[in-house]
Amino acid sequence: MKCRFGLGLLLLLSALLVGPASGLDSDRQVLAFPAEIEIIDQPGCAATTIFVQPEKATGHLPRVYVAQHAPGQSMLPPWKGAARVFLSKGLLAWVTGGDSGVALSFPDQPVPPSLAPFNLKKAPMIGLAVYGEHAPIPAERLQQLLSTDRCTGSRR
């Protein structure tokens, strides 16, 4: 009887100790691929649009990300060029020539440790919309998403 009680207690303590540790996400899975990107500032709606055109060999579809920023936060400056793109839960980052880049992430999501070697400027976001993740974006919709005036005027 004592042996069963001791074994049960040991199993319970093991579960309590291992449970929280296994829930730690010390290095989330990060997807990385080369792409051409275009950063479009959308000050009228406190957002930044990021058009990602992966290299064909990656097999990834072109995507448009719209990162929503908190009012008063600085937007990212417009830019276009080649980059290495990193995607993870709550993170969109890119590194351009060398080891410098930008990491858009939610305030409660730390940058994964695997990206520590890069000099990433952190840019917080409060929302992220993704277009083209599972199906190609129709040309007309792509044109709307990449418009620099899509957040101005009475258009919704």
Side-chain angles (χ1 to χ4, degrees):
M1 173 96 155
K2 248 185 187 179
C3 185
R4 272 193 247 169
F5 176 76
L7 182 59
L9 182 61
L10 182 60
L11 288 173
L12 177 64
L13 287 174
S14 295
L16 289 173
L17 291 174
V18 174
S22 65
L24 295 177
D25 196 6
S26 62
D27 196 12
R28 301 183 308 265
Q29 182 177 357
V30 177
L31 175 65
F33 55 89
E36 288 289 321
I37 64 170
E38 182 176 3
I39 310 303
I40 303 165
D41 185 20
Q42 302 285 350
C45 57
T48 302
T49 299
I50 303 99
F51 177 49
V52 177
Q53 178 74 42
E55 290 184 1
K56 287 187 188 244
T58 67
H60 295 288
L61 294 170
R63 295 180 188 173
V64 174
Y65 297 88
V66 180
Q68 184 72 44
H69 305 286
Q73 283 185 341
S74 62
M75 298 331 127
L76 299 171
W79 185 83
K80 189 175 187 176
R84 183 132 183 99
V85 175
F86 300 93
L87 301 173
S88 184
K89 179 183 176 189
L91 172 88
L92 168 62
W94 57 91
V95 173
T96 60
D99 65 351
S100 295
V102 175
L104 280 166
S105 65
F106 294 107
D108 64 340
Q109 293 289 322
V111 174
S114 61
L115 298 182
F118 300 108
N119 180 21
L120 297 174
K121 173 188 172 193
K122 294 179 184 166
M125 62 181 172
I126 58 173
L128 183 66
V130 182
Y131 302 88
E133 186 173 20
H134 302 291
I137 305 168
E140 185 178 312
R141 181 68 175 138
L142 182 61
Q143 184 178 0
Q144 292 170 347
L145 289 168
L146 300 180
S147 171
T148 57
D149 65 348
R150 69 183 195 87
C151 295
T152 60
S154 59
R155 240 172 67 173
R156 292 205 184 255

